[in-house]
Amino acid sequence: MIIVGELINSSRTAVKDAIERRDRAVIEKLAVDQQAAGADYIDVNAGVFGGEEAQHLKWLVETVQAVVGLPCCIDSPDPYAMEAALAVHRGTPLINSISLEKDRYEALLPLLAGSDFKVVALCMSDDGMPETAGQRLAVADKLIQGLTGSGVALANIHVDPLVQPVATNGAYGREFLAAIELIMAGFPGVHTMCGLSNISFGLPNRKLLNRTFVSMAVARGLDGAIVDPLDTRMIAAIRAAEAIIGQDAYCQAFIKAHRAGVLEAV
Amino acid sequence: MIIVGELINSSRTAVKDAIERRDRAVIEKLAVDQQAAGADYIDVNAGVFGGEEAQHLKWLVETVQAVVGLPCCIDSPDPYAMEAALAVHRGTPLINSISLEKDRYEALLPLLAGSDFKVVALCMSDDGMPETAGQRLAVADKLIQGLTGSGVALANIHVDPLVQPVATNGAYGREFLAAIELIMAGFPGVHTMCGLSNISFGLPNRKLLNRTFVSMAVARGLDGAIVDPLDTRMIAAIRAAEAIIGQDAYCQAFIKAHRAGVLEAV
């Protein structure tokens, strides 16, 4: 399971303030803590800064990579900000994200073409948000054909089928889960990735819903998630799900996590 | 989701002692507490008493039904004990369980034939424990054909595909989950039911694994489970799973459980 640590996001007030003040210590601590908790990528987002996004995103990448040896998940729909961040990034980043929306697709594809970058391919198009598993598969198919046709390896594509709130439509959870299975079965070697928390939008006990949902998604083939790695119960649910589904040979990682005290007590 | 409360089981020392001493208070409290926690059936088991099982099982049914208005899940492979318990049971019991093992099948089928009893149909045969989803489906098919052919309504059959420990074989979790889906899709109107805790046998943090597993199983169609209803995190996981999978219209039961303080705090 690929864990993308989501905490360095400018939509969070403390992060926005730290970016504005160029307070390295705040960002460094978030990066180090997420690495220690098992993150594979550190998401960086400066989206709230509009026209100044590029300089802030670049500073985030530099600040994060000064203290952790991890690649970033560069989180921006803006190709100009993306290019600025890529110019200073070391290692192989995860670009978050391309979609089938025409402007975004055409702006980001040239950056990706023929590269070794990893990329989140969001199942969104100018036709709007997909509702059914079939609609998600159709968008994923076009994105995968476009990306691989431009020289992006299938193994570098992480399809995000787009989680929507079950409080809005009782079928949204099922359709998302079915989409994970269809995409993983339809394109052997591709990856899937998603933010989870939209599933519980508008409901109480969101963390309980989010980690219950991730267990279900792992059972259908999800192999990456954008989460708060400091949420120990979420990480415990992911480790438990991997063990149950046989993705953790002899449950060794689960037992190791237990011995390290990473899993919750009960 | 049909919740069978598993606590009145003679394999638990406190229960065995209470049965021997005819200590009604212990059994009554377990029955009342499980009902309050949302159990739909109270499992009663006196299996450790061998030749004296019948009299003890009968006493358990009478003691439980004196204080709760719920039906029992009568848990015995012994047709003589089953008949004794049925003779005093009020309402429609869940008979736990018939299997395809020849002796058990032939002894219990006459009790079930043409009745309105509900029955757990365990995917076990004289060929041993099933390993794959396909083997489970094959046993389920024979049990369902036999039961419906003897006048048991499909809607009264709760197939238990038999959970096996993932520590023994990394595929056991996946095969069980696939079996749930195959059985529910193959026999529309049938139910599924299982004890969960075997999944985590031999591993640490068993409760975490058990509730992660139940979430996955609900997402594949499981609509009944034999659990400890006093394990609030397990019940919270089941309620969350039902909400996510759209089995809880407008998430009303989930929100109600939240307001009642039933769900865990975090």
Side-chain angles (χ1 to χ4, degrees):
Chain A
M1 188 80 168
I2 298 162
I3 307 274
V4 178
E6 70 184 8
L7 293 178
I8 304 181
N9 192 306
S10 60
S11 66
R12 302 175 69 220
T13 305
V15 171
K16 176 172 179 284
D17 291 350
I19 294 171
E20 281 176 332
R21 293 196 318 268
R22 288 294 187 263
D23 185 339
R24 301 179 62 90
V26 169
I27 303 303
E28 284 170 4
K29 179 167 168 42
L30 286 172
V32 168
D33 287 352
Q34 291 185 97
Q35 180 181 41
D40 300 295
Y41 291 88
I42 306 294
D43 193 85
V44 287
N45 173 299
V48 297
F49 291 105
E52 296 174 350
E53 184 182 351
Q55 67 181 84
H56 292 308
L57 198 61
K58 181 169 167 283
W59 178 77
L60 283 178
V61 169
E62 289 174 324
T63 305
V64 165
Q65 291 201 313
V67 292
V68 299
L70 295 177
C72 290
C73 173
I74 307 176
D75 184 0
S76 173
D78 176 1
Y80 178 68
M82 187 63 73
E83 270 192 284
L86 287 172
V88 297
H89 187 276
R90 287 173 291 130
T92 307
L94 176 58
I95 292 185
N96 182 14
S97 58
I98 196 167
S99 76
L100 210 61
E101 297 157 290
K102 187 167 184 290
D103 291 351
R104 191 166 176 174
Y105 184 80
E106 291 182 352
L108 280 170
L109 194 63
L111 279 180
L112 291 160
S115 78
D116 287 331
F117 299 152
K118 294 172 188 299
V119 61
V120 176
L122 186 65
C123 289
M124 173 91 91
S125 73
D126 289 320
D127 298 333
M129 313 255 280
E131 299 229 333
T132 67
Q135 287 167 359
R136 287 173 164 88
L137 183 65
V139 178
D141 183 51
K142 287 179 185 164
L143 282 166
I144 290 169
Q145 300 309 330
L147 287 164
T148 54
S150 298
V152 177
L154 187 64
N156 287 338
I157 302 173
H158 301 253
V159 178
D160 181 343
L162 199 63
V163 173
Q164 290 177 271
V166 74
T168 305
N169 183 328
Y172 280 165
R174 286 198 306 273
E175 293 296 330
F176 176 90
L177 294 167
I180 291 283
E181 198 161 283
L182 287 173
I183 292 163
M184 293 299 265
F187 305 95
V190 83
H191 299 283
T192 41
M193 166 76 64
C194 66
L196 296 158
S197 58
N198 271 354
I199 193 70
S200 60
F201 184 78
L203 291 171
N205 294 75
R206 295 190 62 180
K207 286 188 171 185
L208 167 64
L209 290 164
N210 296 349
R211 65 178 178 266
T212 302
F213 184 55
V214 83
S215 309
M216 296 172 170
V218 169
R220 303 295 275 273
L222 180 75
D223 64 356
I226 305 171
V227 298
D228 172 5
L230 307 187
D231 178 349
T232 52
R233 288 187 173 187
M234 167 62 79
I235 298 299
I238 291 173
R239 298 297 173 227
E242 290 175 312
I244 289 171
I245 216 64
Q247 281 177 0
D248 172 6
Y250 304 103
C251 304
Q252 285 184 331
F254 183 79
I255 292 168
K256 191 176 162 193
H258 164 73
R259 289 185 180 150
V262 172
L263 308 177
E264 54 195 314
V266 179
Chain B
M1 188 81 169
I2 299 163
I3 306 274
V4 178
E6 70 185 7
L7 293 178
I8 303 181
N9 191 306
S10 61
S11 68
R12 302 174 69 220
T13 306
V15 171
K16 175 173 179 283
D17 291 350
I19 294 171
E20 282 177 330
R21 294 195 319 268
R22 288 294 187 261
D23 184 340
R24 300 178 63 89
V26 169
I27 303 302
E28 285 170 2
K29 180 166 168 43
L30 285 172
V32 169
D33 287 352
Q34 290 184 97
Q35 180 181 42
D40 300 295
Y41 291 88
I42 305 294
D43 193 84
V44 286
N45 173 299
V48 297
F49 291 104
E52 296 174 349
E53 184 182 350
Q55 68 180 83
H56 292 310
L57 198 61
K58 180 168 167 284
W59 178 76
L60 282 178
V61 169
E62 289 173 324
T63 305
V64 165
Q65 290 201 315
V67 291
V68 299
L70 295 177
C72 290
C73 173
I74 307 176
D75 184 1
S76 173
D78 175 2
Y80 178 68
M82 186 64 72
E83 271 193 283
L86 287 172
V88 296
H89 186 276
R90 288 174 290 131
T92 307
L94 175 59
I95 292 186
N96 183 15
S97 56
I98 196 167
S99 75
L100 209 60
E101 295 157 290
K102 188 167 183 291
D103 291 350
R104 191 163 175 175
Y105 183 80
E106 291 183 352
L108 280 170
L109 194 63
L111 279 182
L112 290 160
S115 78
D116 287 331
F117 299 152
K118 295 174 187 298
V119 60
V120 176
L122 186 65
C123 289
M124 174 91 91
S125 73
D126 289 319
D127 297 333
M129 312 255 279
E131 299 230 332
T132 66
Q135 287 167 359
R136 288 172 163 89
L137 182 66
V139 178
D141 182 53
K142 287 180 187 164
L143 282 166
I144 290 169
Q145 300 309 331
L147 286 164
T148 56
S150 298
V152 177
L154 187 63
N156 287 339
I157 302 172
H158 301 253
V159 179
D160 181 344
L162 198 62
V163 173
Q164 289 176 272
V166 72
T168 304
N169 183 330
Y172 279 165
R174 285 197 306 273
E175 294 296 330
F176 176 90
L177 294 167
I180 291 282
E181 199 162 282
L182 286 172
I183 292 163
M184 293 299 264
F187 305 95
V190 82
H191 299 283
T192 41
M193 167 76 65
C194 66
L196 295 158
S197 57
N198 271 354
I199 193 71
S200 60
F201 184 78
L203 291 171
N205 295 77
R206 293 190 64 179
K207 286 188 171 184
L208 166 64
L209 289 164
N210 295 349
R211 65 178 179 267
T212 301
F213 184 55
V214 83
S215 309
M216 295 173 169
V218 169
R220 303 294 275 272
L222 180 75
D223 65 356
I226 305 171
V227 299
D228 173 5
L230 307 187
D231 177 349
T232 53
R233 288 185 173 187
M234 168 62 81
I235 298 299
I238 290 173
R239 298 298 172 225
E242 290 175 312
I244 288 171
I245 216 64
Q247 281 178 0
D248 173 8
Y250 304 103
C251 304
Q252 284 183 332
F254 183 80
I255 293 167
K256 191 176 163 194
H258 164 72
R259 288 185 181 148
V262 172
L263 309 176
E264 54 194 314
V266 178

